[in-house]
Amino acid sequence: MRKLKNLLGGSLLALTVLAQSAPAAEPSTLRIGYQKSSVSMVLAREHKLFEAALPGTQVQWIEFLGGPALIEALNGGSLDIGNIGDIPPIFAQAAGIDLQYFAVEPNEGKTEAVLVPKASTVQRVAELKGKRVALLKGSSAHNLFLKSLLRAGLQYKDVNVVYLSPSDGRAAFEQGKVDAWVVWDPYYSAAVVDGSARVLGDGQGLNPAGSFFVVSSPYAKQHPQAVGTIIKALAKAQRLSLDQPEESIALMASTLGLPPAVVKSYFEHRSTAPIRPLQTVDIANQQRTADLFFANGLIPKKVDVQQIVFKAP
């Protein structure tokens, strides 16, 4: 009996080691929420990079007009991963939504701006006091404007902020219903290239965190190896945009329905820093932003960004 127990114990140990060392099965599905403004996501979709990296997985693409709506879908269980700006995940964490940051695409603050009409007499952000400004609530534009106001010596309450989607913001801006519009590329480049707007200020020098890729926590727990594969596919897509700029601009122009000159301007605003897992500097930048939003009463409670950063196995 002792020999039998030893034999069975050894067999169970061997099976456990084999199970732990065996490659994890690929997920059966991967539901991706993306925005057309994300160059890396669009190129990954068009070049079928996720399908190639995860050949046993059915990949589904779902388009969103902004990060807040994408977060709602992730929370509702209809998405697995998505790309968003820096503020939507902060709002999501404050609301108790179960997601994790798994990668970042750094930027230098050039991909979004505070715009005024070409003929506006406003020359500085400080001159927006008491004026109407359009932006999407809970978006990266929200962050840019708050930091721009504080740098100019104003408070958020000093300006009449009108929360509008990018398309509604553009309409209000063109019709003169707002005095300024805060938005990201390619909306930003489109308004400047067509001559209807000029830049009052962008995010340079305002400690931009970049844009993020998030995953629902249940998906990350079930498929941690797949998350690593996804990061590599995204990094490959970004490299395509840098190594094949003309082809990538043409593809994005077709996808967005915009003139190549607008997309070229957008590409010039992008950083060449690679998409990668979050580092200490990214977490620290994001934490400072979260603390700033709490201090200004824009989120209901403090959040600890570190607690929802994906940790690779």
Side-chain angles (χ1 to χ4, degrees), residues 276-292:
R276 52 172 171 71
L278 275 69
Q279 298 176 354
T280 302
V281 64
D282 308 307
I283 298 168
N285 284 345
Q286 190 71 339
Q287 186 63 56
R288 279 192 289 271
T289 298
D291 293 343
L292 184 65

PDB file of all heavy atoms in Angstrom, residues 276-292:
ATOM      1  N   ARG A 276       3.568  49.053 -25.350  1.00  0.00           N
ATOM      2  CA  ARG A 276       4.224  48.153 -24.408  1.00  0.00           C
ATOM      3  C   ARG A 276       3.377  48.009 -23.146  1.00  0.00           C
ATOM      4  O   ARG A 276       2.453  48.793 -22.924  1.00  0.00           O
ATOM      5  CB  ARG A 276       5.598  48.709 -24.033  1.00  0.00           C
ATOM      6  CG  ARG A 276       5.541  50.168 -23.571  1.00  0.00           C
ATOM      7  CD  ARG A 276       6.854  50.663 -23.020  1.00  0.00           C
ATOM      8  NE  ARG A 276       6.851  52.105 -22.780  1.00  0.00           N
ATOM      9  CZ  ARG A 276       6.177  52.722 -21.826  1.00  0.00           C
ATOM     10  NH1 ARG A 276       5.404  52.028 -21.007  1.00  0.00           N
ATOM     11  NH2 ARG A 276       6.254  54.044 -21.669  1.00  0.00           N
ATOM     12  N   PRO A 277       3.709  47.013 -22.314  1.00  0.00           N
ATOM     13  CA  PRO A 277       3.057  46.931 -21.001  1.00  0.00           C
ATOM     14  C   PRO A 277       3.366  48.182 -20.193  1.00  0.00           C
ATOM     15  O   PRO A 277       4.381  48.849 -20.427  1.00  0.00           O
ATOM     16  CB  PRO A 277       3.691  45.689 -20.367  1.00  0.00           C
ATOM     17  CG  PRO A 277       4.193  44.884 -21.520  1.00  0.00           C
ATOM     18  CD  PRO A 277       4.612  45.875 -22.553  1.00  0.00           C
ATOM     19  N   LEU A 278       2.503  48.508 -19.236  1.00  0.00           N
ATOM     20  CA  LEU A 278       2.699  49.712 -18.437  1.00  0.00           C
ATOM     21  C   LEU A 278       3.969  49.613 -17.584  1.00  0.00           C
ATOM     22  O   LEU A 278       4.275  48.556 -17.036  1.00  0.00           O
ATOM     23  CB  LEU A 278       1.504  49.957 -17.514  1.00  0.00           C
ATOM     24  CG  LEU A 278       0.321  50.714 -18.135  1.00  0.00           C
ATOM     25  CD1 LEU A 278      -0.381  49.876 -19.180  1.00  0.00           C
ATOM     26  CD2 LEU A 278      -0.658  51.141 -17.057  1.00  0.00           C
ATOM     27  N   GLN A 279       4.670  50.734 -17.499  1.00  0.00           N
ATOM     28  CA  GLN A 279       5.847  50.837 -16.654  1.00  0.00           C
ATOM     29  C   GLN A 279       5.525  51.749 -15.467  1.00  0.00           C
ATOM     30  O   GLN A 279       4.461  52.368 -15.410  1.00  0.00           O
ATOM     31  CB  GLN A 279       7.022  51.388 -17.460  1.00  0.00           C
ATOM     32  CG  GLN A 279       7.430  50.482 -18.617  1.00  0.00           C
ATOM     33  CD  GLN A 279       8.530  51.082 -19.478  1.00  0.00           C
ATOM     34  OE1 GLN A 279       8.939  52.228 -19.294  1.00  0.00           O
ATOM     35  NE2 GLN A 279       9.010  50.306 -20.435  1.00  0.00           N
ATOM     36  N   THR A 280       6.476  51.843 -14.557  1.00  0.00           N
ATOM     37  CA  THR A 280       6.271  52.655 -13.350  1.00  0.00           C
ATOM     38  C   THR A 280       5.908  54.089 -13.696  1.00  0.00           C
ATOM     39  O   THR A 280       5.023  54.693 -13.081  1.00  0.00           O
ATOM     40  CB  THR A 280       7.540  52.637 -12.473  1.00  0.00           C
ATOM     41  OG1 THR A 280       7.850  51.285 -12.125  1.00  0.00           O
ATOM     42  CG2 THR A 280       7.331  53.450 -11.211  1.00  0.00           C
ATOM     43  N   VAL A 281       6.553  54.652 -14.721  1.00  0.00           N
ATOM     44  CA  VAL A 281       6.296  56.043 -15.104  1.00  0.00           C
ATOM     45  C   VAL A 281       4.868  56.221 -15.610  1.00  0.00           C
ATOM     46  O   VAL A 281       4.219  57.239 -15.347  1.00  0.00           O
ATOM     47  CB  VAL A 281       7.324  56.517 -16.158  1.00  0.00           C
ATOM     48  CG1 VAL A 281       7.202  55.720 -17.457  1.00  0.00           C
ATOM     49  CG2 VAL A 281       7.175  58.007 -16.426  1.00  0.00           C
ATOM     50  N   ASP A 282       4.347  55.231 -16.334  1.00  0.00           N
ATOM     51  CA  ASP A 282       2.979  55.318 -16.858  1.00  0.00           C
ATOM     52  C   ASP A 282       1.959  55.286 -15.722  1.00  0.00           C
ATOM     53  O   ASP A 282       0.988  56.046 -15.717  1.00  0.00           O
ATOM     54  CB  ASP A 282       2.700  54.156 -17.814  1.00  0.00           C
ATOM     55  CG  ASP A 282       3.745  54.030 -18.897  1.00  0.00           C
ATOM     56  OD1 ASP A 282       4.001  55.037 -19.581  1.00  0.00           O
ATOM     57  OD2 ASP A 282       4.320  52.935 -19.048  1.00  0.00           O
ATOM     58  N   ILE A 283       2.201  54.411 -14.767  1.00  0.00           N
ATOM     59  CA  ILE A 283       1.292  54.292 -13.624  1.00  0.00           C
ATOM     60  C   ILE A 283       1.321  55.574 -12.795  1.00  0.00           C
ATOM     61  O   ILE A 283       0.272  56.078 -12.357  1.00  0.00           O
ATOM     62  CB  ILE A 283       1.669  53.067 -12.776  1.00  0.00           C
ATOM     63  CG1 ILE A 283       1.523  51.782 -13.603  1.00  0.00           C
ATOM     64  CG2 ILE A 283       0.812  52.986 -11.516  1.00  0.00           C
ATOM     65  CD1 ILE A 283       2.129  50.551 -12.958  1.00  0.00           C
ATOM     66  N   ALA A 284       2.522  56.123 -12.603  1.00  0.00           N
ATOM     67  CA  ALA A 284       2.656  57.349 -11.814  1.00  0.00           C
ATOM     68  C   ALA A 284       1.957  58.527 -12.497  1.00  0.00           C
ATOM     69  O   ALA A 284       1.255  59.310 -11.849  1.00  0.00           O
ATOM     70  CB  ALA A 284       4.135  57.674 -11.603  1.00  0.00           C
ATOM     71  N   ASN A 285       2.116  58.642 -13.822  1.00  0.00           N
ATOM     72  CA  ASN A 285       1.441  59.716 -14.565  1.00  0.00           C
ATOM     73  C   ASN A 285      -0.071  59.593 -14.466  1.00  0.00           C
ATOM     74  O   ASN A 285      -0.791  60.579 -14.253  1.00  0.00           O
ATOM     75  CB  ASN A 285       1.855  59.685 -16.043  1.00  0.00           C
ATOM     76  CG  ASN A 285       3.232  60.245 -16.277  1.00  0.00           C
ATOM     77  OD1 ASN A 285       3.798  60.913 -15.417  1.00  0.00           O
ATOM     78  ND2 ASN A 285       3.788  59.973 -17.446  1.00  0.00           N
ATOM     79  N   GLN A 286      -0.552  58.359 -14.621  1.00  0.00           N
ATOM     80  CA  GLN A 286      -1.988  58.123 -14.573  1.00  0.00           C
ATOM     81  C   GLN A 286      -2.532  58.380 -13.173  1.00  0.00           C
ATOM     82  O   GLN A 286      -3.641  58.900 -13.007  1.00  0.00           O
ATOM     83  CB  GLN A 286      -2.288  56.693 -15.032  1.00  0.00           C
ATOM     84  CG  GLN A 286      -3.751  56.389 -15.258  1.00  0.00           C
ATOM     85  CD  GLN A 286      -4.347  57.066 -16.480  1.00  0.00           C
ATOM     86  OE1 GLN A 286      -3.847  58.053 -16.986  1.00  0.00           O
ATOM     87  NE2 GLN A 286      -5.445  56.518 -16.966  1.00  0.00           N
ATOM     88  N   GLN A 287      -1.738  58.040 -12.148  1.00  0.00           N
ATOM     89  CA  GLN A 287      -2.177  58.279 -10.775  1.00  0.00           C
ATOM     90  C   GLN A 287      -2.281  59.772 -10.492  1.00  0.00           C
ATOM     91  O   GLN A 287      -3.231  60.230  -9.836  1.00  0.00           O
ATOM     92  CB  GLN A 287      -1.206  57.626  -9.788  1.00  0.00           C
ATOM     93  CG  GLN A 287      -1.664  57.698  -8.335  1.00  0.00           C
ATOM     94  CD  GLN A 287      -2.957  56.935  -8.110  1.00  0.00           C
ATOM     95  OE1 GLN A 287      -3.046  55.736  -8.405  1.00  0.00           O
ATOM     96  NE2 GLN A 287      -3.977  57.610  -7.602  1.00  0.00           N
ATOM     97  N   ARG A 288      -1.336  60.550 -10.996  1.00  0.00           N
ATOM     98  CA  ARG A 288      -1.400  62.006 -10.805  1.00  0.00           C
ATOM     99  C   ARG A 288      -2.654  62.589 -11.452  1.00  0.00           C
ATOM    100  O   ARG A 288      -3.296  63.482 -10.893  1.00  0.00           O
ATOM    101  CB  ARG A 288      -0.140  62.663 -11.383  1.00  0.00           C
ATOM    102  CG  ARG A 288       1.066  62.596 -10.463  1.00  0.00           C
ATOM    103  CD  ARG A 288       2.178  63.504 -10.946  1.00  0.00           C
ATOM    104  NE  ARG A 288       2.818  63.002 -12.145  1.00  0.00           N
ATOM    105  CZ  ARG A 288       3.860  62.181 -12.137  1.00  0.00           C
ATOM    106  NH1 ARG A 288       4.378  61.770 -10.997  1.00  0.00           N
ATOM    107  NH2 ARG A 288       4.393  61.769 -13.269  1.00  0.00           N
ATOM    108  N   THR A 289      -2.984  62.070 -12.616  1.00  0.00           N
ATOM    109  CA  THR A 289      -4.195  62.542 -13.293  1.00  0.00           C
ATOM    110  C   THR A 289      -5.443  62.181 -12.493  1.00  0.00           C
ATOM    111  O   THR A 289      -6.349  63.003 -12.326  1.00  0.00           O
ATOM    112  CB  THR A 289      -4.282  61.946 -14.711  1.00  0.00           C
ATOM    113  OG1 THR A 289      -3.153  62.387 -15.470  1.00  0.00           O
ATOM    114  CG2 THR A 289      -5.556  62.372 -15.410  1.00  0.00           C
ATOM    115  N   ALA A 290      -5.486  60.950 -11.986  1.00  0.00           N
ATOM    116  CA  ALA A 290      -6.638  60.519 -11.188  1.00  0.00           C
ATOM    117  C   ALA A 290      -6.778  61.384  -9.942  1.00  0.00           C
ATOM    118  O   ALA A 290      -7.890  61.798  -9.577  1.00  0.00           O
ATOM    119  CB  ALA A 290      -6.480  59.049 -10.801  1.00  0.00           C
ATOM    120  N   ASP A 291      -5.666  61.677  -9.293  1.00  0.00           N
ATOM    121  CA  ASP A 291      -5.704  62.516  -8.091  1.00  0.00           C
ATOM    122  C   ASP A 291      -6.182  63.926  -8.436  1.00  0.00           C
ATOM    123  O   ASP A 291      -6.925  64.549  -7.656  1.00  0.00           O
ATOM    124  CB  ASP A 291      -4.318  62.575  -7.450  1.00  0.00           C
ATOM    125  CG  ASP A 291      -3.869  61.240  -6.871  1.00  0.00           C
ATOM    126  OD1 ASP A 291      -4.732  60.352  -6.679  1.00  0.00           O
ATOM    127  OD2 ASP A 291      -2.652  61.068  -6.633  1.00  0.00           O
ATOM    128  N   LEU A 292      -5.779  64.418  -9.591  1.00  0.00           N
ATOM    129  CA  LEU A 292      -6.186  65.761 -10.023  1.00  0.00           C
ATOM    130  C   LEU A 292      -7.696  65.813 -10.265  1.00  0.00           C
ATOM    131  O   LEU A 292      -8.368  66.778  -9.871  1.00  0.00           O
ATOM    132  CB  LEU A 292      -5.431  66.136 -11.303  1.00  0.00           C
ATOM    133  CG  LEU A 292      -5.652  67.552 -11.844  1.00  0.00           C
ATOM    134  CD1 LEU A 292      -5.114  68.590 -10.870  1.00  0.00           C
ATOM    135  CD2 LEU A 292      -4.977  67.702 -13.205  1.00  0.00           C
TER     136      LEU A 292
END
